[in-house]
Amino acid sequence: MALRTPLNRLPKQTLSSLPSSTSALLPRPSNPSPWHRPTPVRSLATIVAPPVTQSSTSRHGPTALVFMNMGGPSTLPEVGPFLSRLFADADLIPLGRLQPYLGPLISRRRTPKIQSQYAAIGGGSPIRKWSEYQSEEMCKLLDERCPESAPHKPYVAFRYADPLTEEMYTRLLEDGFGKQGRAVAFTQYPQYSCSTTGSSLNELWKWRMRLEGKEPEGGGVKWSVIDRWPTHPGLVEAFAQNIEAQLATYPKEVRRDVLLIFSAHSLPMSVVNRGDTYPAEVAATVHAVLTRLRFQNPYRLCWQSQVGPSAWLGAQTSDTVASYVKKGHKDMILIPIAFTSDHIETLFELDQEVIHEAHKEGGTGVKRAESLNGSRVFIEALADVARAHLEGGEICSRQMGIRCQGCKSERCLEQKRFFMGARTGRGVEEVVR
């Protein structure tokens, strides 16, 4: 179950009973899934660390598992810096030549409004707590199931909030992975987009160059990438079980008529039109979940969190729900299909805006499926994705070598050449075109 009440809104006596370690936030269920398969800001000065070591039972370990995500401000004072980084990222929000001027202006104007939204969900995003919990629990499973690459060490690298990519990279070097230690960049966006996973990989490549250089002394960190996993059976099962749990709250006679509204973060149409694979991969996840549910309910896929006046991928989630309520659909389940944990898009945008407005207009049966958060099925899925990657020996997926049809970004090209060049051993010009 998700912690739907933010931690800093719980009574003091409840908070005092919570364990300090995120790895103990939730109990393990008695019946596990049947299928298997605060970081401090650190100095960026030169780091001298011993090489990572191996044991007789761990021929390829230790292994760093780096969870990449956009992140979110954990406290209200962090909202301003978070927005500044977000609106400065042309991969996510392309503003053209005026980005260095418009980005700071937009972030300053939006900060008070966004701070009030984070205040409404408890004073900050829970995404860091969930990311740390998920990565820790996954690594425990990997230590049991993949002894040759053990021990597995969890790291979190956020694009716009602490712990930032440079903080994570500094920790890696301090921990000795700069002497040919193995590290896996594991995107927590199951569906690939140049604006999300691509942006995180660009940032990772940038800090690799800044902190290690093109030819690092000692060999450098040996990177591989899990860049997408939209239809993994465990991911699909985790979504399906959360939908089924919410469907069970409706009377049996109306259950099959409940409308399933799959909601994913939208993209600017300029990104979509240059060939980004995200819409197709989100649709693939939706289709896989519906197949698991045997298409028993009507459904729609829509898109949320549009920012600014430019054209974004639609239809918008808020408009979709409002339209169906007016047409007499009072029973709907919102499913955040592209998110792996709760954050402001679920706790505020869906719960306190979309669902609240629907209830005001008579859509009293509009609800939301739980986010994946601490789902043991989901954590099993994470471990299975990582296990297959570690045992398969791939550096990244074959899709990584295919640029978007309209891509003209030199940074994207160099990043792909860096990761894909290690994959084949061929000249990088032969790998990415």
Side-chain angles (χ1 to χ4, degrees):
M1 289 292 293
L3 294 178
R4 295 302 297 276
T5 303
L7 292 179
N8 57 359
R9 296 182 69 181
L10 293 172
K12 289 185 178 179
Q13 60 268 31
T14 304
L15 282 172
S16 64
S17 66
L18 285 174
S20 58
S21 170
T22 55
S23 64
L25 277 173
L26 296 176
R28 289 175 178 264
S30 56
N31 296 317
S33 175
W35 63 271
H36 281 298
R37 297 291 189 212
T39 305
V41 177
R42 300 174 183 267
S43 169
L44 299 184
T46 302
I47 297 163
V48 178
V52 291
T53 57
Q54 301 168 348
S55 69
S56 59
T57 59
S58 176
R59 294 191 297 120
H60 303 295
T63 305
L65 275 298
V66 180
F67 271 29
M68 299 189 306
N69 210 328
M70 73 183 300
S74 298
T75 64
L76 295 183
E78 295 176 40
V79 171
F82 168 77
L83 291 177
S84 294
R85 298 183 191 105
L86 188 146
F87 282 100
D89 184 8
D91 293 324
L92 180 68
I93 303 176
L95 299 174
R97 295 179 181 178
L98 296 179
Q99 185 116 22
Y101 307 99
L102 291 177
L105 176 64
I106 295 171
S107 64
R108 283 196 301 270
R109 289 186 174 180
R110 289 181 62 85
T111 293
K113 176 182 177 181
I114 303 303
Q115 282 181 326
S116 68
Q117 294 178 0
Y118 277 106
I121 65 170
S125 171
I127 190 172
R128 179 172 183 171
K129 286 184 178 291
W130 284 123
S131 296
E132 290 175 345
Y133 173 78
Q134 292 164 348
S135 61
E136 289 171 8
E137 293 298 297
M138 178 196 70
C139 284
K140 290 178 185 178
L141 294 176
L142 289 174
D143 285 346
E144 298 170 2
R145 298 170 189 174
C146 302
E148 286 203 344
S149 53
H152 302 87
K153 300 192 64 171
Y155 296 82
V156 173
F158 286 154
R159 183 64 180 85
Y160 312 113
D162 293 334
L164 294 165
T165 304
E166 58 264 40
E167 298 170 31
M168 175 280 300
Y169 216 119
T170 303
R171 280 189 57 208
L172 273 183
L173 297 179
E174 289 178 340
D175 291 345
F177 282 91
K179 307 297 175 70
Q180 300 192 53
R182 186 179 190 183
V184 179
F186 191 170
T187 181
Q188 292 306 292
Y189 307 101
Q191 305 91 1
Y192 183 93
S193 172
C194 294
S195 64
T196 53
T197 298
S199 177
S200 290
L201 289 174
N202 286 342
E203 190 75 356
L204 179 62
W205 171 75
K206 179 183 81 175
W207 285 102
R208 198 295 186 158
M209 293 297 119
R210 288 187 180 182
L211 294 178
E212 295 195 277
K214 288 188 177 182
E215 297 181 4
E217 182 179 348
V221 180
K222 299 302 180 184
W223 285 101
S224 62
V225 182
I226 300 173
D227 51 88
R228 68 197 79 210
W229 40 292
T231 58
H232 185 273
L235 175 71
V236 171
E237 181 65 22
F239 278 128
Q241 287 190 14
N242 285 356
I243 295 169
E244 289 175 328
Q246 194 62 280
L247 280 170
T249 67
Y250 292 88
K252 192 172 183 179
E253 60 271 18
V254 304
R255 201 169 294 164
R256 289 174 63 91
D257 296 323
V258 175
L259 181 57
L260 304 182
I261 302 293
F262 294 91
S263 183
H265 203 295
S266 187
L267 280 182
M269 286 306 298
S270 59
V271 176
V272 175
N273 289 337
R274 74 172 179 234
D276 199 282
T277 62
Y278 175 75
E281 294 192 14
V282 171
T285 306
V286 170
H287 187 272
V289 171
L290 289 169
T291 300
R292 159 62 177 78
L293 296 172
R294 294 175 296 193
F295 286 88
Q296 291 185 352
N297 289 77
Y299 74 95
R300 282 294 182 271
L301 169 59
C302 49
W303 312 86
Q304 66 179 89
S305 309
Q306 175 177 329
V307 179
S310 62
W312 283 59
L313 181 63
Q316 288 291 302
T317 302
S318 55
D319 296 340
T320 298
V321 173
S323 173
Y324 281 126
V325 168
K326 289 181 180 179
K327 293 175 182 177
H329 294 277
K330 301 189 183 299
D331 298 324
M332 286 179 258
I333 296 177
L334 305 185
I335 304 137
I337 198 65
F339 305 118
T340 55
S341 70
D342 273 323
H343 42 76
I344 197 168
E345 283 86 351
T346 57
L347 297 175
F348 185 84
E349 186 176 352
L350 294 183
D351 290 356
Q352 298 189 34
E353 289 188 326
V354 177
I355 293 178
H356 178 71
E357 287 300 314
H359 288 180
K360 281 174 54 178
E361 297 301 320
T364 53
V366 178
K367 306 177 184 181
R368 176 170 71 85
E370 290 283 354
S371 297
L372 299 177
N373 292 342
S375 161
R376 292 308 302 183
V377 176
F378 176 62
I379 291 168
E380 290 274 353
L382 291 172
D384 194 65
V385 172
R387 178 201 58 77
H389 178 80
L390 292 170
E391 294 179 355
E394 281 204 335
I395 297 299
C396 53
S397 76
R398 296 192 63 82
Q399 283 292 101
M400 273 282 291
I402 305 297
R403 301 176 72 193
C404 293
Q405 299 93 307
C407 180
K408 298 179 181 179
S409 169
E410 288 299 316
R411 183 172 61 165
C412 174
L413 174 62
E414 292 305 315
Q415 169 258 114
K416 285 180 178 290
R417 284 178 170 174
F418 170 73
F419 290 113
M420 290 294 294
R423 183 181 190 275
T424 64
R426 293 184 293 164
V428 290
E429 289 78 8
E430 299 178 54
V431 179
V432 181
R433 302 180 189 277

